[in-house]
Structures are given as structure tokens and as C-alpha cells.
Amino acid sequence: MDLNEKSQANVEYMIESIKSKLRMASAAAMQASAFSVNHYDDIRDLYDMVIGKDNLSISEVEAVVSELGRLRG
């Protein structure tokens, strides 16, 4: 998948990957389709950070979830 292309499909892929990596309990409530390509660069930055880490601390997970909430819609 070429994440350099700013598309809705790539946004949804990155959100799903982040949710999977975080093992979010509330993942079902956070639909990837609710994220706009208008926030692509921010989502890509978040994706790169999350996927690049082997483990995330509780505070990092909380920060990511908070940021996802800000970017939704």
C-alpha cells in the first residue's frame, strides 16, 4: 500500500492499523470511515509513530486515543 497517496482508503487503512496495534477496547465505536482525508498528514504522523514502536505506554495510548478523537469527523 502506497501511503504517500492521500486517499480515503489510506486513511481508513492507517486508522484500522492504529486501532489494531493499540488493541483498543472501544475500537468498534471508532469507525475508520469517520476520518477525513483532510487530516491525512496528521493521521500519517500518528500512524508512523504508533507502528514504529514495539510497545506503547498507557500514557502514549491515551494520547493517541485523544488525538484520534480530535481528528475524527
Side-chain angles (χ1 to χ4, degrees):
M1 178 159 284
D2 179 11
L3 295 180
N4 292 319
E5 180 185 340
K6 294 182 180 182
S7 68
Q8 187 63 34
N10 282 348
V11 167
E12 293 179 18
Y13 169 82
M14 290 187 292
I15 296 298
E16 291 299 330
S17 296
I18 291 169
K19 287 172 20 181
S20 176
K21 178 87 175 194
L22 298 182
R23 296 178 192 85
M24 290 175 57
S26 60
M30 191 171 293
Q31 297 296 320
S33 59
F35 292 84
S36 169
V37 74
N38 294 335
H39 296 293
Y40 189 89
D41 293 328
D42 292 329
I43 293 168
R44 177 69 190 267
D45 289 343
L46 204 54
Y47 169 84
D48 288 341
M49 188 275 295
V50 169
I51 298 305
K53 288 186 164 265
D54 289 332
N55 296 302
L56 291 142
S57 69
I58 298 288
S59 60
E60 287 173 319
V61 170
E62 289 172 352
V64 169
V65 171
S66 175
E67 186 67 8
L68 287 172
R70 186 184 73 75
L71 295 172
R72 188 174 43 207

